[in-house]
Amino acid sequence: MVVCSVFRVTSRLARSQLSAQCCSRALYSTEHKPRFYTKKHEWVSVNDNIGTVGISTYAQEALGEVVFVQLPEVGKEVAAGDECGALESVKAAGEVYSPVSGTITDKNSEVESKPALINKSCYEEGWLFRVKLSSPEELKQLMDQATYDKYLEEH
Amino acid sequence: MCSISRTKALIVPRFLTPKQIVPATLRWYSDESKATKTPLYNLHNKYGGKVVDFAGFLLPVQYSDLSLSESHLFTRKSASIFDVSHMLQTNVRGKDCLSWFETLCPVDLKGMKNGSSSLTVFLNEKGGIIDDLIVTKVNDENLYVVSNAGRLAVDKQHMKETSELFRKKGKDVHVQFFNTSERALIALQGPKAASVLQNVTDIPINDLMFMTSTLGKVAGVVCRVTRCGYTGEDGVEISIPAERAEEVTEALLQFDDVKLAGLGARDSLRLEAGLCLYGNDIDESVSPVEANLTWLIAKRRRAEDNFPGSSIILRQIKEGVTKRRVGIRMETGPPARKGAVLKDSKTSETVGAITSGCPAPSLGGNVAMGYVSETLKKSGTELLVNIRGKDVPCVVAKMPFVPAKYYVKK
């Protein structure tokens, strides 16, 4: 996602919280399918060719408390990199881009009514939408957890 | 009503890469290396402030204990301290300081009582707003001015040049700018601000009315305390000698009713209060009349017709203008941000644009300000606002969106 922010974020504190959360979250990923990340901080986790998409801890921290969520309509065709939703916090707006190509099969109506779920649980309850992959090989273009963690550290 | 827009607009779309997110205390990239620390910089870090470069100053957007909307709501029900040391504080002295300042602003300083303050604007020759500011008439030979950090260089130059010219005419006026190593400024805002402050000051706070100012001891330190603010709440701004700023702030933070708040809450609070942000809602291209700030043109000054741009502004007051700043309310949907285009709900014709907007924590939904065609300024007028390609309904609304709670005589 791209955050159009009023302010550039984040302090040392937020950064240290981030790494702590990454560690605890990493435990989940052994129970579920692995997550793959975009450079714009969306993640996708694929099960039976259906990808679940959300934003990373890093992105939700940068955005702050989400207060409005706009998600793609079910049935919509998307290409990898297409803008297909938006998240708004008090201070910033962020567009969501699909990490993969395919057809939207589901959206998380729970986060539409409770946007803060994205801050509370960006990898579990705060998922955004599901997409049936038309080009599963695109996953190879994305970063795995270790690469993404390194990407965050290096940049 | 009143108060001042105190911060520079920085709503710039950015591609947020990790490179741009830098731990405040560890390293700063080239464009941030020149950013100035306020006297409360260490305190911000101590209390978990998320520090950013704002108009060249290192200031917290928020603190780790509260989200932005929690901090906003806490201010409305209790009290918050904001570090506003980035604002330019200026001391003006001299027998002719009132007449000099009146050559820059449409304010009636001569008609003001000693110890009273007023919102006013520096105007250019076309009647455009160079900056908005609060001027306090300490007495006939001393003014205290607080203006925007984002206009610091412009304001300094403007005051320096014009005062030099004035002196060349044999007049007595001297301008002294305080930098952040000399003076800090904090805003204590919220319904509990006054009672908390009374615990640590010898100033009789119940006698300090809205838009009045006095010197007094706060936590044992002589400060200038002005009953004003930028949140729509009752509160004060306290100008403190830089080296004592931390101890005064800590003394106020001893009370459970007080928490620190950052630039994020400050922005949503001022928007709900209908207060302008310089660089967003007002700038040199708009006049006070267009900005719906006609009340800033003092009666005596209208009669005298001798402030910068007065012929244009007086004509606008008489004959009207083509666009006007209005409040925009959306009870649901995405917030309209700066730059979003406003359209007529029937013809879909472009009729204006949003200048600032955000979700409204106290009200739910969203609030915004923008300029619309004069014919559409009436509150209740239904418009459309284009957000990410979609036209969303919105309505022109009276400001302040949240009733002001200023400490005025009833």
Side-chain angles (χ1 to χ4, degrees):
Chain A
M1 67 178 304
V2 171
V3 178
C4 301
S5 179
V6 183
F7 308 107
R8 279 196 251 177
V9 198
T10 300
S11 74
R12 180 173 57 179
L13 187 102
R15 202 58 188 266
S16 60
Q17 284 174 341
L18 169 64
S19 35
Q21 286 188 15
C22 282
C23 297
S24 63
R25 295 297 185 201
L27 297 173
Y28 285 104
S29 63
T30 57
E31 296 163 21
H32 298 282
K33 299 287 176 187
R35 285 190 296 269
F36 297 94
Y37 296 84
T38 69
K39 287 182 176 175
K40 292 175 179 172
H41 311 288
E42 292 94 4
W43 58 265
V44 56
S45 151
V46 182
N47 199 350
D48 287 341
N49 208 39
I50 301 286
T52 301
V53 176
I55 64 166
S56 70
T57 295
Y58 174 87
Q60 68 82 7
E61 284 270 353
L63 196 57
E65 185 188 9
V66 181
V67 295
F68 180 81
V69 179
Q70 188 183 308
L71 297 176
E73 293 306 317
V74 171
K76 188 185 159 144
E77 303 266 337
V78 292
D82 277 2
E83 183 182 328
C84 58
L87 306 177
E88 299 267 4
S89 71
V90 176
K91 71 178 178 214
E95 282 79 41
V96 180
Y97 299 87
S98 183
V100 288
S101 305
T103 310
I104 306 295
T105 60
D106 196 4
K107 60 176 179 171
N108 187 355
S109 35
E110 189 82 356
V111 298
E112 288 180 311
S113 54
K114 287 183 208 153
L117 278 179
I118 295 167
N119 301 102
K120 193 181 136 207
S121 172
C122 65
Y123 297 118
E124 303 290 331
E125 292 167 79
W127 64 278
L128 300 178
F129 58 87
R130 293 205 167 99
V131 52
K132 187 177 179 193
L133 273 61
S134 60
S135 314
E137 70 280 2
E138 283 171 350
L139 291 175
K140 289 179 195 145
Q141 310 293 320
L142 302 176
M143 292 178 274
D144 62 16
Q145 186 73 53
T147 314
Y148 180 65
D149 288 347
K150 213 166 158 234
Y151 171 74
L152 287 181
E153 254 171 49
E154 284 172 358
H155 287 77
Chain B
M1 69 167 295
C2 164
S3 208
I4 191 167
S5 62
R6 288 177 166 236
T7 36
K8 190 195 170 191
L10 271 184
I11 303 186
V12 179
R14 288 179 201 279
F15 178 77
L16 190 97
T17 67
K19 201 160 203 161
Q20 289 170 322
I21 297 186
V22 181
T25 48
L26 297 185
R27 56 189 166 138
W28 289 94
Y29 287 90
S30 54
D31 62 327
E32 286 154 344
S33 61
K34 286 181 195 153
T36 306
K37 292 177 182 174
T38 73
L40 294 175
Y41 178 80
N42 291 335
L43 184 135
H44 299 319
N45 282 311
K46 176 182 166 189
Y47 287 100
K50 288 188 182 183
V51 174
V52 300
D53 177 353
F54 185 79
F57 292 86
L58 297 176
L59 288 167
V61 173
Q62 66 186 98
Y63 294 83
S64 55
D65 60 335
L66 295 178
S67 73
L68 281 186
S69 61
E70 284 166 349
S71 178
H72 176 115
L73 295 171
F74 186 83
T75 313
R76 292 251 185 268
K77 81 169 191 340
S78 193
S80 295
I81 296 176
F82 302 80
D83 178 10
V84 289
S85 303
H86 57 307
M87 312 244 359
L88 175 62
Q89 299 184 67
T90 306
N91 193 36
V92 186
R93 288 189 184 276
K95 282 202 289 289
D96 300 306
C97 70
L98 301 191
S99 358
W100 167 68
F101 209 76
E102 286 194 352
T103 66
L104 312 180
C105 300
V107 66
D108 180 10
L109 277 174
K110 289 170 185 168
M112 278 166 59
K113 286 186 182 145
N114 288 352
S116 66
S117 309
S118 179
L119 176 68
T120 186
V121 282
F122 288 141
L123 292 173
N124 64 29
E125 289 307 317
K126 290 179 177 163
I129 301 171
I130 297 171
D131 197 6
D132 63 344
L133 55 111
I134 285 188
V135 57
T136 296
K137 179 180 178 179
V138 178
N139 57 49
D140 286 344
E141 299 187 3
N142 186 194
L143 301 174
Y144 165 70
V145 179
V146 177
S147 58
N148 284 301
R151 301 293 281 174
L152 189 137
V154 173
D155 290 351
K156 276 186 170 176
Q157 180 79 359
H158 189 53
M159 284 189 264
K160 218 173 138 223
E161 279 177 7
T162 54
S163 63
E164 270 167 21
L165 277 173
F166 218 63
R167 274 197 302 279
K168 278 185 186 159
K169 292 178 189 165
K171 306 279 190 176
D172 178 31
V173 57
H174 300 276
V175 178
Q176 177 195 10
F177 304 113
F178 294 114
N179 63 42
T180 48
S181 66
E182 294 168 304
R183 287 200 85 80
L185 188 67
I186 62 169
L188 174 63
Q189 299 283 298
K192 296 186 179 167
S195 58
V196 165
L197 180 62
Q198 191 63 84
N199 292 319
V200 294
T201 185
D202 58 359
I203 300 166
I205 289 301
N206 288 343
D207 299 339
L208 188 71
M209 302 310 292
F210 180 58
M211 297 311 275
T212 63
S213 180
T214 185
L215 288 177
K217 277 192 179 171
V218 180
V221 180
V222 176
C223 298
R224 172 159 290 283
V225 179
T226 307
R227 197 123 186 191
C228 68
Y230 192 44
T231 60
E233 297 297 323
D234 181 22
V236 293
E237 291 188 357
I238 309 174
S239 174
I240 316 165
E243 67 280 7
R244 310 290 298 272
E246 257 187 37
E247 77 183 84
V248 171
T249 308
E250 291 279 16
L252 291 164
L253 283 173
Q254 299 303 309
F255 300 95
D256 291 341
D257 289 336
V258 178
K259 287 181 188 291
L260 288 161
L263 296 166
R266 187 167 159 79
D267 192 52
S268 52
L269 287 160
R270 70 92 194 167
L271 249 163
E272 283 187 348
L275 301 169
C276 294
L277 173 62
Y278 194 91
N280 276 36
D281 310 310
I282 47 175
D283 58 35
E284 294 216 33
S285 75
V286 296
S287 77
V289 184
E290 292 165 325
N292 202 12
L293 297 170
T294 307
W295 63 278
L296 295 182
I297 318 298
K299 198 175 160 195
R300 191 197 109 228
R301 305 303 308 280
R302 293 184 198 197
E304 289 179 1
D305 188 4
N306 62 355
F307 53 88
S310 62
S311 59
I312 294 170
I313 285 174
L314 294 176
R315 194 175 65 232
Q316 288 181 343
I317 292 174
K318 205 172 152 197
E319 295 172 12
V321 287
T322 56
K323 62 173 182 179
R324 194 81 72 157
R325 181 176 66 96
V326 295
I328 301 285
R329 176 87 173 109
M330 306 159 77
E331 285 185 5
T332 57
R337 310 275 184 177
K338 183 182 185 179
V341 168
L342 287 162
K343 298 177 179 180
D344 187 299
S345 59
K346 292 182 194 83
T347 64
S348 285
E349 190 188 340
T350 297
V351 293
I354 298 292
T355 50
S356 54
C358 73
S362 311
L363 300 170
N366 310 295
V367 291
M369 294 180 197
Y371 284 80
V372 296
S373 302
E374 182 71 358
T375 51
L376 299 169
K377 71 173 180 186
K378 215 177 148 208
S379 63
T381 305
E382 288 174 6
L383 299 173
L384 297 169
V385 58
N386 192 271
I387 301 172
R388 286 183 290 272
K390 258 192 197 164
D391 287 339
V392 183
C394 63
V395 60
V396 175
K398 278 210 173 73
M399 292 189 287
F401 299 103
V402 172
K405 308 273 174 54
Y406 304 132
Y407 187 65
V408 289
K409 285 196 180 95
K410 290 193 177 117

